[in-house]
Amino acid sequence: MPAPKKTARRSLLVASAVLSSLALAAPAAVAAPKPSGSPSASPSATPPASMSTVGGARLGRPGTQVNLASGVPVLPKDLSARSWIVADAETGDVLAAHNAHWRLAPASTLKMLFADTLLPKFPRTTRHKVVPSDLAGIGPGSSMVGIKENETYTVHDLWLGVFLRSGNDAVHVLSAMNEGVENTVREMNEHAEELQALDTHVVSPDGYDAEGQVSSAYDLTLIARSGMQKPDFREYASTVTAKFPGETKKTKKGKKVRKPFEIQNTNRLLSGDADLPVYQGIAGVKNGNTTNAGATFTGVAERGGKVLLVTVMNPEKDEHNEVYKETARLFDWGFKAAGKVQPVGELVPPKSAAQAGARPDANPSGEAGGSGDGGKGTAGTGAKPVASAPAADGSSGIGVALGVTGGALVLLAGGAFLVNRRWPLPDLVRRRTRP
């Protein structure tokens, strides 16, 4: 597409996003969206006739949105997910989508928002001794990493538990460190609003089924893109295996010992499974599965210098690893279609970046979404991406993290400030071949 037309299209999409944000901010729209029925009820099989248009008008339409033309590959025919999206992680272009703004239960993919909100708060070396109240309120049947009362863990340990084992116990301990679950939920909702993830409403920080807790494929993709700006987020999301502290026990001689045990990432595109190979170029991000949500997944992968984000929510086909299989097929399509297909919308920048784009004194070097190094920003510091080698703490970053270090840049064009959503990947490191 010629540059003038692309600039005009982006201008219209920015305007659409701003108008959508204003509409969603109206009093009638701020009430928490609630799925029909109880938290355990099956979601409706029919998407709403009218959905949010953040990112472009076509993303608010039900059904599949794609611009097929000569040279553009046909979408996979065997997709059963209620909602999905394929987007360029760098430019933010949405290459194709299906019910992108359908508000559905997110399951543990919501932990991406939890991490994006809390990661900057605690240095990874901070130590915390778990008390019984830290583990209160964890839902029955929750996924757990195996945290024990009266044991001490580092923040690094806890985040490994969140990302690899999707441990609700680790989420609750970190929430307790963050002045409690209620405060954490409030901060997550505020952060979602800042990211313009306006389909999202948080009730439980771990993604456990709860009345009124919803997100969308579009929002989860926005959240993942923001999270990948943080070095720690990239590292944890791409770690395949790690050692986690076990329970302190006494030997027969009365000596106290605490042996670690191995945990593996439950993201099957990253770790592989009997019926599913590791996806070439995968680098995260997060999976989930609950009664109400079904299977959900957001992934990021790189191939041939192109980085894509794919989110898949609730495949109707009841086959083992179906959410990963459909994600892989969408990745395959996206890598073939990139550069050939005209986008149907785009991932909008955080609200603060959009507002900065309207100010003459805007700072183009700011990092969107904060940093993951205990409050110290990484933009412009020459920070390197996480290397794909075993760390001293026993974790294995074989699924290598993406070197996303840029923020939402502000571009001066035609006498007016426009937001350019290209987030550069200057130090992208390819995923090492697994043995």
Side-chain angles (χ1 to χ4, degrees):
M1 181 183 294
K5 291 184 179 180
K6 188 171 181 67
T7 301
R9 178 176 65 82
R10 289 190 180 278
S11 302
L12 290 173
L13 287 169
V14 169
S16 172
V18 172
L19 289 173
S20 300
S21 299
L22 292 173
L24 287 169
V30 295
K34 295 183 179 181
S36 58
S38 66
S40 60
S42 298
S44 169
T46 306
S50 178
M51 294 176 281
S52 167
T53 57
V54 171
R58 288 189 64 176
L59 299 182
R61 300 176 190 171
T64 301
Q65 307 300 319
V66 64
N67 288 317
L68 291 178
S70 178
V72 177
V74 177
L75 283 165
K77 296 181 179 179
D78 50 353
L79 300 174
S80 67
R82 296 177 187 271
S83 176
W84 54 259
I85 191 170
V86 182
D88 187 309
E90 276 195 287
T91 65
D93 288 338
V94 176
L95 307 185
H98 180 76
N99 302 324
H101 281 290
W102 192 358
R103 289 167 165 168
L104 298 168
S108 286
T109 48
L110 196 65
K111 288 182 173 78
M112 293 188 298
L113 179 60
F114 174 76
D116 198 37
T117 304
L118 264 65
L119 259 173
K121 291 194 168 194
F122 307 109
R124 60 168 58 201
T125 55
T126 299
R127 299 174 66 82
H128 177 79
K129 185 174 182 179
V130 176
V131 297
S133 60
D134 292 349
L135 300 174
I138 298 176
S142 288
S143 53
M144 311 279 267
V145 68
I147 290 173
K148 302 297 181 182
E149 296 176 6
N150 300 316
E151 294 285 8
T152 298
Y153 301 86
T154 65
V155 164
H156 176 67
D157 295 330
L158 296 173
W159 283 120
L160 286 172
V162 171
F163 277 88
L164 272 68
R165 294 301 304 168
S166 203
N168 288 7
D169 47 356
V171 170
H172 277 255
V173 172
L174 285 163
S175 296
M177 294 174 64
N178 191 49
E179 300 181 11
V181 167
E182 184 177 347
N183 180 62
T184 299
V185 167
R186 177 184 60 78
E187 291 183 354
M188 288 173 67
N189 280 317
E190 289 174 352
H191 189 51
E193 184 177 353
E194 155 63 17
L195 295 178
Q196 300 203 63
L198 303 178
D199 298 325
T200 300
H201 180 72
V202 182
V203 178
S204 177
D206 50 22
Y208 192 84
D209 284 340
E211 183 72 23
Q213 180 153 277
V214 289
S215 190
S216 66
Y218 182 87
D219 280 15
L220 292 173
T221 308
L222 273 186
I223 292 163
R225 192 179 187 219
S226 176
M228 293 301 287
Q229 306 303 304
K230 299 174 172 62
D232 283 355
F233 190 106
R234 297 197 299 271
E235 176 189 348
Y236 292 127
S238 66
T239 299
V240 181
T241 61
K243 296 292 184 180
F244 192 82
E247 186 175 7
T248 300
K249 296 180 179 179
K250 286 186 177 181
T251 64
K252 293 180 179 179
K253 296 182 178 180
K255 183 181 178 180
K256 290 184 178 181
V257 295
R258 191 181 186 191
K259 294 183 178 180
F261 57 92
E262 185 172 279
I263 57 176
Q264 185 182 58
N265 202 312
T266 54
N267 172 358
R268 296 307 179 205
L269 288 188
L270 188 68
S271 60
D273 206 353
D275 62 339
L276 190 74
V278 173
Y279 190 81
Q280 179 188 352
I282 193 70
V285 170
K286 190 71 188 74
N287 57 308
N289 198 319
T290 65
T291 301
N292 194 37
T296 60
F297 180 66
T298 297
V300 63
E302 181 275 340
R303 188 179 297 173
K306 192 63 86 168
V307 184
L308 299 182
L309 283 160
V310 172
T311 295
V312 172
M313 299 187 76
N314 199 346
E316 294 180 340
K317 192 182 297 183
D318 187 20
E319 293 188 13
H320 189 241
N321 286 325
E322 183 62 25
V323 72
Y324 302 110
K325 293 173 182 178
E326 295 194 15
T327 298
R329 290 195 286 272
L330 285 169
F331 268 130
D332 288 344
W333 176 86
F335 286 122
K336 293 176 183 176
K340 301 175 183 177
V341 65
Q342 182 179 353
V344 295
E346 65 183 345
L347 304 177
V348 297
K351 187 183 295 184
S352 58
Q355 292 170 345
R359 296 198 309 266
D361 61 343
N363 176 14
S365 64
E367 177 177 326
S371 65
D373 55 359
K376 297 180 181 179
T378 58
T381 62
K384 299 293 183 181
V386 178
S388 63
D393 54 23
S395 61
S396 174
I398 295 176
V400 89
L402 297 178
V404 186
T405 58
L409 305 181
V410 178
L411 178 68
L412 179 60
F417 281 95
L418 300 175
V419 176
N420 173 15
R421 281 158 301 283
R422 183 176 178 85
W423 289 0
L425 303 168
D427 295 314
L428 184 65
V429 181
R430 272 69 177 177
R431 189 182 187 284
R432 285 200 316 190
T433 303
R434 286 174 57 81

